[in-house]
C-alpha cells in the first residue's frame, strides 16, 4: 500500500469489498442485475448514436444486457481497446456476440486490425469505487479520464455494484466526474 497515495491505498480495499459482495450474491440476483436500463438510462441510450461499454473483468458489474438493449434499438456499440499502458483508449465498433481478442491487462476487445474506430456519445464505464458526487476511482492508469477528456460531449455512466460506494473518492484536478452511476439497486444522477 502507498501511504502517500490515498487512491493506491484504497484500490485493494474496494476491490476486496466488491469481490466479497459479488461472491455473496445468489445466482438469481446476479442474473437480474443490470438487465433492464432504468428509465433515465433508457432515454440516454435512445438518444445516443454510439454506446460504449466494456467486457467485465473478475467481479466488475456487467453492462452486457445494456449493450444488447442498445444494439436492439439500432445504436452503434463500441468496446474499449488499448494497445498498452499509457496509450490512449480507443473505442472500436462491435456487435454483441462477435468475437473478441485478448488485450492488455486481462481485457477482451474487438480486433484492432479489423474493427472501425468510432466516437461514443454514451460511455458505460467500469470502476472500483464511486461517491455521491459522481466521482469514480478506476484501476489507476487514467485511461477512462483521458477518454472522457477526449470525448467531452459523451455522457459518462459508471456501472457498479452498490457495495462499491464510498463516502468520498479522493480526486485530482484531472479526474472527470460521471454524469450518473447505475448499481443493481439504484440510478444515481
Amino acid at each position: 500500500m502507498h501511504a502517500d497515495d490515498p487512491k493506491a491505498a484504497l484500490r485493494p480495499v474496494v476491490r476486496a469489498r466488491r469481490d466479497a459482495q459479488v461472491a455473496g450474491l445468489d445466482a438469481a440476483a446476479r442474473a437480474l442485475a443490470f438487465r433492464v436500463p432504468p428509465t433515465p438510462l433508457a432515454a440516454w441510450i435512445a438518444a445516443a448514436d454510439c454506446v460504449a461499454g466494456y467486457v467485465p473483468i473478475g467481479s466488475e458489474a456487467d453492462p452486457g444486457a445494456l449493450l444488447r438493449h442498445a444494439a436492439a434499438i439500432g445504436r452503434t456499440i463500441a468496446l474499449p481497446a488499448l494497445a498498452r499502458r499509457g496509450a490512449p483508449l480507443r473505442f472500436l465498433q462491435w456487435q454483441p456476440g462477435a468475437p473478441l481478442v485478448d488485450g492488455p491487462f486481462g481485457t477482451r476487445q474487438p480486433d484492432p486490425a479489423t474493427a472501425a474506430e468510432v466516437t461514443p456519445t454514451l460511455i458505460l464505464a467500469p470502476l472500483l469505487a464511486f461517491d455521491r458526487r459522481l466521482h469514480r476511482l478506476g484501476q489507476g492508469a487514467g485511461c477512462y479520464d483521458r477518454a472522457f477528456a477526449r470525448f467531452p460531449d459523451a455522457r459518462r455512466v459508471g456501472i457498479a455494484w452498490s457495495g462499491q460506494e464510498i463516502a468520498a473518492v479522493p480526486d485530482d484536478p484531472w479526474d472527470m466526474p460521471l454524469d450518473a452511476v447505475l448499481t443493481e439497486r439504484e440510478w444515481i444522477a
Side-chain angles (χ1 to χ4, degrees):
M1 294 190 116
H2 307 279
D4 58 336
D5 183 352
K7 288 182 181 181
L10 189 56
R11 283 188 183 94
V13 173
V14 294
R15 190 176 291 112
R17 183 170 23 162
R18 180 188 68 196
D19 291 348
Q21 178 184 0
V22 173
L25 292 174
D26 63 32
R30 263 191 236 126
L32 292 173
F34 311 104
R35 289 296 174 225
V36 178
T39 301
L41 180 55
W44 286 6
I45 291 170
D49 294 322
C50 177
V51 179
Y54 59 93
V55 176
I57 298 173
S59 62
E60 287 180 337
D62 187 352
L66 302 171
L67 295 176
R68 288 188 297 276
H69 166 80
I73 64 169
R75 300 302 166 257
T76 298
I77 305 302
L79 294 178
L82 189 63
R84 66 189 179 291
R85 187 174 191 88
L89 193 63
R90 298 170 49 217
F91 291 96
L92 302 181
Q93 190 169 353
W94 177 75
Q95 284 296 317
L100 297 169
V101 299
D102 291 334
F105 316 112
T107 61
R108 301 282 294 155
Q109 61 189 35
D111 187 343
T114 59
E117 187 167 356
V118 293
T119 300
T121 52
L122 173 61
I123 300 172
L124 306 178
L127 52 83
L128 282 174
F130 69 92
D131 63 27
R132 292 281 163 159
R133 299 175 305 150
L134 300 175
H135 288 231
R136 78 181 272 285
L137 178 68
Q139 296 290 349
C143 294
Y144 274 91
D145 285 313
R146 287 190 301 277
F148 294 163
R150 184 174 168 213
F151 303 107
D153 295 331
R155 285 189 164 139
R156 304 176 298 272
V157 178
I159 308 296
W161 297 102
S162 57
Q164 293 175 252
E165 181 176 352
I166 63 174
V169 171
D171 57 312
D172 292 304
W174 56 84
D175 290 333
M176 297 196 64
L178 299 164
D179 295 302
V181 172
L182 175 63
T183 76
E184 81 284 9
R185 293 185 181 165
E186 68 180 313
W187 172 256
I188 304 163

